[in-house]
């Protein structure tokens, strides 16, 4: 289990991926596999968002999801990223549910095969979530 700061709700990546896969299976998509390189990219970006207090896929130094994922050691043919700032009590189930039910259907995009997820608390007590999705090259 990834450690979340004490002010953020604990992250259970296996439960989060299970919830994503349940939603994907309902629409005929294969299950996602939790990937350590994508998790590293997500952790780094959540940390960056917490430091800057901004929930955006544009990182400090103009990094993009594709560059962060490549820098983490994952060679991708396709990438997607979901980011969210929440109150500290939000759980991974809350976040996954929000994305599955939103207009952004990246979690339900069948081209993605791997996922990483992270949450970091900011000094403003908000939690900064990143879900990185990819398909290998």
């Amino acid at each position: 289990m990834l450690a979340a700061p004490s002010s953020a709700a604990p992250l259970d990546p296996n439960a989060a991926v299970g919830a994503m896969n349940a939603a994907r299976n309902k629409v005929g998509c294969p299950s996602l596999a939790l990937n350590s390189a994508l998790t590293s990219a997500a952790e780094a970006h959540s940390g960056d968002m917490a430091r800057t207090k901004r929930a955006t896929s544009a990182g400090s130094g103009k990094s993009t999801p594709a560059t962060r994922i490549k820098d983490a050691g994952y060679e991708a043919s396709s990438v997607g990223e979901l980011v969210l700032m929440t109150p500290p009590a939000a759980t991974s189930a809350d976040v996954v549910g929000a994305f599955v039910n939103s207009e952004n259907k990246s979690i339900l995009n069948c081209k993605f095969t791997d996922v990483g997820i992270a949450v970091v608390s900011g000094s403003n007590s908000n939690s900064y979530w990143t879900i990185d999705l990819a398909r290998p090259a």
Side-chain angles (χ1 to χ4, degrees), residues 53-77:
K53 297 179 183 76
R54 297 179 315 123
T56 176
S57 285
S60 295
K62 303 192 192 253
S63 70
T64 66
T67 59
R68 290 189 295 274
I69 287 168
K70 183 174 181 162
D71 289 349
Y74 188 103
E75 292 296 326
S77 62

Side-chain angles (χ1 to χ4, degrees), residues 23-132:
R24 287 171 62 86
N25 295 156
K26 286 180 185 176
V27 297
C29 291
S31 292
L32 294 166
L34 188 59
N35 179 278
S36 61
L38 294 178
T39 297
S40 292
E43 288 172 340
H45 189 57
S46 285
D48 183 53
M49 290 190 301
R51 279 187 299 280
T52 61
K53 297 179 183 76
R54 297 179 315 123
T56 176
S57 285
S60 295
K62 303 192 192 253
S63 70
T64 66
T67 59
R68 290 189 295 274
I69 287 168
K70 183 174 181 162
D71 289 349
Y74 188 103
E75 292 296 326
S77 62
S78 185
V79 300
E81 183 172 78
L82 301 166
V83 298
L84 188 64
M85 179 180 67
T86 67
T91 66
S92 51
D94 296 331
V95 170
V96 170
F99 281 124
V100 167
N101 294 314
S102 76
E103 290 184 22
N104 183 330
K105 298 294 184 191
S106 293
I107 290 173
L108 303 179
N109 187 325
C110 295
K111 73 180 172 186
F112 296 126
T113 58
D114 297 315
V115 66
I117 183 171
V119 60
V120 173
S121 282
S123 60
N124 58 0
S125 297
N126 288 322
S127 297
Y128 294 85
W129 297 81
T130 304
I131 298 174
D132 280 331

